[in-house]
Amino acid sequence: MEHTTKNKDSISHVRGTSIFVDDISEIRGTLQGLVFDSPVAHAHITSLDISDAERCTGVVKILTYNDIRGENQIGGIIQDEPLFAEKEIHFQGQAIALILAETLAEAKKAQKLIQLTYTELPVVTSVRQAHKNGRFTNASRTFRKNDAEKIFAKCDYVFEGQVFTNGQEHLYLETQGAYSVPLENGNIKIYSSTQGPTSVQKATAKVLGVPMHRLEVEVNRLGGGFGGKEDQATAWAAMAAVGTQITGRPVKLILDRHSDMRMTGKRHPYESDFKIGLDKNLKIKAYTATFYQNAGAAADLSPAVAERTLFHATNSYNIENVEVTVHSCKTNLPPNTAFRGFGGPQGMFVIEAAISKAAEALGVSAHKIQELNLLKDGDEFPYGQIASETLIQDTWNKAFTTFDIEKNIQQVADFNSKSKYFKKGYALMPITFGISFTNTPMNHARALVHIYQDGSVGISTGAVEMGQSVNTKMVLVATLTLGISPEKIKIETTNTTRVANTSPTAASATADLNGKAVEMACKILSNRLKTESARLLHLTDIKQISIKDNQVFVSEKLVEISWEELVLSAHLQRLSLTENAHYSTPEIHFDKSKEKGHPFAYHVYGTAFTVVSIDCIKGIYEIDSVKIVHDFGKSLSPALDFGQVEGALVQGIGWMTMEELLYNEKGRLLSNSLSGYKVPDIFSVPKIIEILPLETVGHKHAILKSKAVGEPPLMYGIGTYFALENAIKQFNPNYKHKFNSPLTPEKLLNALYDNHPNEF
Ligand code: MTE
Ligand code: HPA
Ligand code: MOS
């Protein structure tokens, strides 16, 4: 069954019957919310006149910061982000007011009548400028292992370079939104499209000036999050709830696509400097990097994202001398936020660039340097964790043998020697990704399991379903642990009154954390039911009793007690059919004062081999194939996990090749619609994607040995960038690596002819 398990939502998605926030039946009296946001990126507000707008037909109220009864503050890690702008505007798209009207059309009319005057202030969009001005959202951090600067002097080769990786729009299909409904006595229920129900509850309680227990946050599922709703779903929920608090009416606030693209933060763009030192055997002896992270106008999750950049700065390599520093630079862009990989991809791109730079200068293939430096058991990461159960070399070797990579490389060379205007390039991309929230205290979860007296089961956890199939995985965990069929199990909505104080659904760790809690609760219930079976069968020992296929077995022999009979009997014996379990990841710790510890429960490994073809007349390209050996552990459901690998890979390729986020010098988003921002479609995905699981025993901290899979494969997409640059070099021998992503067809065409030795 496991192998063919589909996401249990797939049928309702296809039929259009799945319910997202905007699909919730509206209660009579519901007001529609519309945000009035800043037209400029940095300014002093001199006046805000809402009087004409408030007189419009259908307008009930226009909220500004003056209407907030608690604190006008939604900053998660650092309290630096107002819900509504007060005296100053810090980015274009910053919320200033919320119009509440009977209909959206009326709200839109009123929006045009709000009068804002301001004096513009200098806009900073560049990280280097922000760095020069000493403008940071949070403290800079450095991870250090031994002494890199000292070792450079002893290296046979030292190379330096600069790198740019752009941001990325999340483009979840369901835009941000919330629906706030008044309950009795001033209590409020918020339906939110959030990855972090508790973050919404906590921040909203602060804004409303009420204790958390007055707010119930409910999440059915998201139409995608990709990190964009880990922290940034909060504002809309808080605004809607303020509306309910002030008017006593339900308030719905859904961003349209353009507003969502304009107002929300994205993956952080990074500029980085690197220095790499090697000995004559191509062993990397020393590596330093400085990362300039474009945090935007407020910290949001930037400190945590920055931290993960440092954790993954050496990717899959063991380097004895390392010093890496990250600066979270404060600019006048919308606050940037979590995005699949969470700063890891930005860090990994830079070490891959450094290796490619060395390879280019030394006239060797980058994969030779990669291979010679792969991690093995016992190596120490720059953050102090000792590598164990390391599988990077296994995935690398298996890729080489199974995919016959040496032969493929030869074929690429043969093709290039014969073809003048079409060229091919290849790259290898090993990945090593740490699983756990890097902030240790976040690594815990709870599950509430009810067995109803008819034998059906309802499970609540803190996990949010957003397409990654975590609910289906929870069903599998319960099915296997209770020994009953999946149809008997329902996963309830994620609701703060049933499961409280949750960490967001993020860090790829949701199935592990919540799944372990489900497993624990189900085990306790199962043992209780086995005890009841023993009573019914007059046995003294439950060891020989098992429950499977909805039946009771004694010493593997079927006895005539069905699951339903057993459950009812336990209920009549006045046994509890409910369990609430708590799981917290063992062994992990991290000391920020030393920047050393053991932050990850385990690592996920993999190797991708990418081949691309470029058309040197048109500058267009295709990805011939991406072949991957991936460490799933012992996959609970290969069908679901393969889907995550494919989706993440293509999202990574989009980031590296075509998704070009553009702001002008005034901080205005130019790539502000789907006509100007290109995401991968069916025509741009690799012609061949081959995924080969590495056969392993899995890891004890992974749910039923099935390793986390949500984010790591995104970084396979980085290989496409290097494969393209390598193809360019085949046509233009004077081309030198630029490390400037995304490598759009426009940039690629220029690269083909810039400084080309021949006349055309
Ligand atoms: N897959 C789909 N379909 N939609 C999503 O929004 N988010 C990704 C990944 N896969 C996402 C997805 C991100 S950013 C993370 S952190 C993980 O799913 C979170 O879920 P998990 O912890 O259950 O893997
Ligand atoms: N990953 C993803 N999301 C997070 C993390 C992390 O390590 N820490 C806080 N939010
Ligand atoms: Mo994922 S970026 O941790 O939501």
Side-chain angles (χ1 to χ4, degrees), residues 449-454 524-536 542 547 563 565-579:
V449 178
H450 297 314
I451 302 175
Y452 293 96
Q453 53 193 287
D454 67 353
I524 296 169
L525 287 166
S526 181
N527 281 335
R528 192 171 299 147
L529 289 169
K530 284 177 195 167
T531 307
E532 174 60 8
S533 319
R535 192 191 65 81
L536 290 171
I542 68 163
I547 304 171
W563 169 258
E565 288 162 348
L566 177 59
V567 166
L568 184 59
S569 171
H571 177 64
L572 296 175
Q573 285 297 311
R574 298 182 293 168
L575 296 174
S576 169
L577 294 173
T578 290
E579 268 309 316

Side-chain angles (χ1 to χ4, degrees), residues 195 226-227 230 338-342 466 505-508 711:
Q195 292 173 237
F226 306 111
E230 180 173 341
F339 196 130
R340 207 170 193 172
F342 206 76
M466 50 185 184
T505 286
S508 306
E711 294 167 287

Side-chain angles (χ1 to χ4, degrees), residues 230 301 304 308 342 436-439 442 506-507:
E230 180 173 341
L301 289 163
R308 200 175 266 280
F342 206 76
S436 287
F437 286 95
T438 55
N439 184 26
M442 293 174 78

